[in-house]
Amino acid sequence: MKRCRAAFAIAALLAPVAHANDALEAKVRAYVPVVSLAKVCDIRINDATLDDHRAMHEAVKSDANANKLAYRLHYETQTAYIKARDGGQRATFCKDFIAANSQHAKARFTAVVEDHMGDVSTSVQRAIAHNVCGAPPVKLSKADWKPYALIKKMLQIEQKLAKEKAETNGWNVTEETTAVTEQFCAAVKTR
């Protein structure tokens, strides 16, 4: 009988710890893959996720199981990326990954476009949407031509960078530049 009570007492003490480990495990599963692919998939991680990741990283240091899980998830994520990249599916893999983790991150260029689009008039946004993404035409005022030209130039620079990066790394150039245009249009349509 005393052993039974002791087991219940220990279980009661461990219950909050088990939930804390469950919460830590959930954070590890959510944040490690996103941070693991941030550089290779050109992801901009939102501030809340970065803050949570830093806290999770500190907590993982003192939890051997969570540390092993974090290492395994990082390894699996990188392996999946490499397999996709070597199979010529890098852009598709990253696009799908970003879509699945949109609450934590966006494609860097999408985030940049959204920032810039907030600073220009609606007519500039519509003109960009027309000329790049196939939306209905719109007329621009004289004052709108300069911001329009700057945003268009930004897209051209990103496409050039994507082309150079693809050529350097042996990726599909058309797929990479198309991905930039798709990110751009997705950001424009959310405005």
Side-chain angles (χ1 to χ4, degrees):
M1 185 70 128
K2 286 184 183 179
R3 280 189 180 166
C4 221
R5 285 187 194 149
F8 285 123
I10 291 172
L13 288 173
L14 293 178
V17 175
H19 291 297
N21 288 342
D22 289 346
L24 180 58
E25 182 179 331
K27 285 186 176 188
V28 168
R29 289 185 185 282
Y31 303 140
V32 167
V34 173
V35 174
S36 181
L37 291 180
K39 186 174 182 181
V40 295
C41 283
D42 205 15
I43 298 171
R44 180 185 276 182
I45 303 170
N46 65 42
D47 292 337
T49 296
L50 280 177
D51 291 344
D52 277 354
H53 179 261
R54 286 185 197 105
M56 180 269 315
H57 188 64
E58 288 301 314
V60 161
K61 289 179 183 178
S62 63
D63 186 325
N65 290 334
N67 196 13
K68 287 177 188 175
L69 176 63
Y71 178 80
R72 190 183 87 232
L73 284 171
H74 173 73
Y75 177 78
E76 289 172 358
T77 303
Q78 287 293 312
T79 302
Y81 167 77
I82 291 166
K83 187 176 180 180
R85 181 197 66 196
D86 292 351
Q89 298 296 313
R90 189 198 90 76
T92 303
F93 175 87
C94 288
K95 182 180 174 183
D96 292 345
F97 183 82
I98 292 166
N101 292 283
S102 61
Q103 73 274 25
H104 302 300
K106 290 183 179 181
R108 180 194 57 80
F109 186 53
T110 301
V112 169
V113 171
E114 287 177 354
D115 288 346
H116 285 294
M117 292 307 252
D119 297 335
V120 298
S121 70
T122 304
S123 59
V124 171
Q125 293 174 25
R126 288 182 182 156
I128 289 288
H130 166 69
N131 289 328
V132 179
C133 310
V138 68
K139 288 192 175 199
L140 286 175
S141 69
K142 229 178 190 180
D144 288 337
W145 276 102
K146 188 173 182 178
Y148 170 81
L150 289 173
I151 289 175
K152 191 104 185 235
K153 182 72 173 171
M154 180 179 66
L155 173 62
Q156 291 168 345
I157 290 168
E158 286 294 327
Q159 288 173 328
K160 182 181 175 191
L161 289 172
K163 180 179 183 238
E164 290 170 358
K165 195 183 266 188
E167 290 171 346
T168 302
N169 293 309
W171 303 334
N172 182 321
V173 175
T174 304
E175 193 174 71
E176 294 296 322
T177 55
T178 300
V180 166
T181 305
E182 287 174 357
Q183 290 175 25
F184 182 84
C185 290
V188 169
K189 287 175 186 171
T190 61
R191 297 299 308 158

